[in-house]
Amino acid sequence: DAKTTQPPSMDCAEGRAANLPCNHSTISGNEYVYWYRQIHSQGPQYIIHGLKNNETNEMASLIITEDRKSSTLILPHATLRDTAVYYCIVRLTNTGNQFYFGTGTSLTVIP
Amino acid sequence: EAQVTQNPRYLITVTGKKLTVTCSQNMNHEYMSWYRQDPGLGLRQIYYSMNVEVTDKGDVPEGYKVSRKEKRNFPLILESPSPNQTSLYFCASSPRTGGWTNEKLFFGSGTQLSVL
């Protein structure tokens, strides 16, 4: 069963904030939420991760709801180079060793 | 430069001809993993390794073998490739520092395999 649910695609105007949602209603207490992105067919690239608190780095911000059942990745000023597939990931607790990627959200930044 | 290196980048082969895709990391990571990516199916884990001589099946292990004789290398072996193994393959590694829930993956550039 999928551990995360993301919309298959989204559009965002260049220069505007891109808000990518993710549902992870079965997340366990010690599981982190990770975000990766994949540009064309390159290897996925780490963006950010968090446990409970909101996180921010040079690439993005991560907002996690208080019940931890959902999160939002925010790209504050989207550029054309942010066009990519974005994956929201939690680890599977039955093994503790697998990263389940799913199919992600294809973000298109429009000029 | 810290990186995960896969070779080859592109590979075309025929059904039944054994092949190996190599993966090497220079970051002294304990965890390594192989994924395949197919249109509409996202990234699916094939095998992973927690450390030298320790390997486990992921979601789609059928038709693949792996070995972890050294910490830095984690080759993916297709003993008898079939057309349904045509895919884009990624190797990844991750450090292990304390708990396993707070580690990020580093990916290679990918290997595009076509089995005719």
Side-chain angles (χ1 to χ4, degrees):
Chain A
D1 292 340
K3 289 285 287 186
T4 62
T5 304
Q6 299 177 252
S9 64
M10 293 180 63
D11 293 337
C12 177
E14 187 178 17
R16 304 296 294 270
N19 297 285
L20 293 91
C22 179
N23 286 323
H24 32 78
S25 58
T26 59
I27 193 170
S28 298
N30 62 347
E31 285 184 306
Y32 282 71
V33 179
Y34 297 79
W35 284 83
Y36 287 76
R37 73 179 183 184
Q38 185 178 24
I39 297 173
H40 194 44
S41 296
Q42 299 176 20
Q45 174 193 24
Y46 167 83
I47 301 173
I48 198 168
H49 74 284
L51 181 63
K52 296 179 182 178
N53 301 319
N54 299 338
E55 302 287 345
T56 296
N57 63 20
E58 64 279 3
M59 291 182 68
S61 294
L62 173 61
I63 308 298
I64 302 175
T65 58
E66 191 169 345
D67 63 8
R68 303 209 326 121
K69 292 185 177 182
S70 66
S71 61
T72 301
L73 178 75
I74 301 172
L75 308 178
H77 305 287
T79 71
L80 299 179
R81 287 178 291 183
D82 291 323
T83 293
V85 177
Y86 288 78
Y87 297 96
C88 168
I89 299 152
V90 297
R91 299 180 69 100
L92 294 178
T93 55
N94 57 343
T95 66
N97 301 319
Q98 290 185 260
F99 290 82
Y100 180 83
F101 273 78
T103 54
T105 296
S106 179
L107 175 69
T108 301
V109 179
I110 302 168
Chain B
E1 178 187 355
Q3 60 185 358
V4 178
T5 303
Q6 292 179 233
N7 280 297
R9 181 70 179 91
Y10 300 95
L11 179 58
I12 300 174
T13 189
V14 296
T15 299
K17 186 176 182 181
K18 180 180 178 180
L19 66 90
T20 300
V21 184
T22 64
C23 174
S24 180
Q25 50 91 7
N26 61 1
M27 297 170 279
N28 201 38
H29 286 171
E30 292 194 0
Y31 180 92
M32 297 187 74
S33 180
W34 277 102
Y35 291 84
R36 63 176 288 174
Q37 186 170 33
D38 303 289
L41 296 177
L43 281 153
R44 294 180 294 168
Q45 193 168 36
I46 303 171
Y47 270 95
Y48 61 93
S49 170
M50 299 284 285
N51 211 328
V52 175
E53 301 293 1
V54 180
T55 62
D56 279 296
K57 296 178 180 179
D59 295 321
V60 287
E62 294 78 20
Y64 304 94
K65 286 177 58 178
V66 293
S67 68
R68 188 90 183 274
K69 293 183 171 58
E70 306 165 282
K71 197 171 188 178
R72 63 182 292 126
N73 296 322
F74 191 46
L76 180 69
I77 303 159
L78 285 71
E79 295 272 4
S80 182
S82 62
N84 64 11
Q85 293 178 298
T86 292
S87 186
L88 178 59
Y89 291 86
F90 289 102
C91 180
S93 71
S94 176
R96 180 179 186 179
T97 54
W100 274 101
T101 60
N102 188 23
E103 307 298 352
K104 59 185 181 183
L105 288 168
F106 295 80
F107 281 85
S109 299
T111 296
Q112 180 63 57
L113 172 65
S114 296
V115 183
L116 305 177

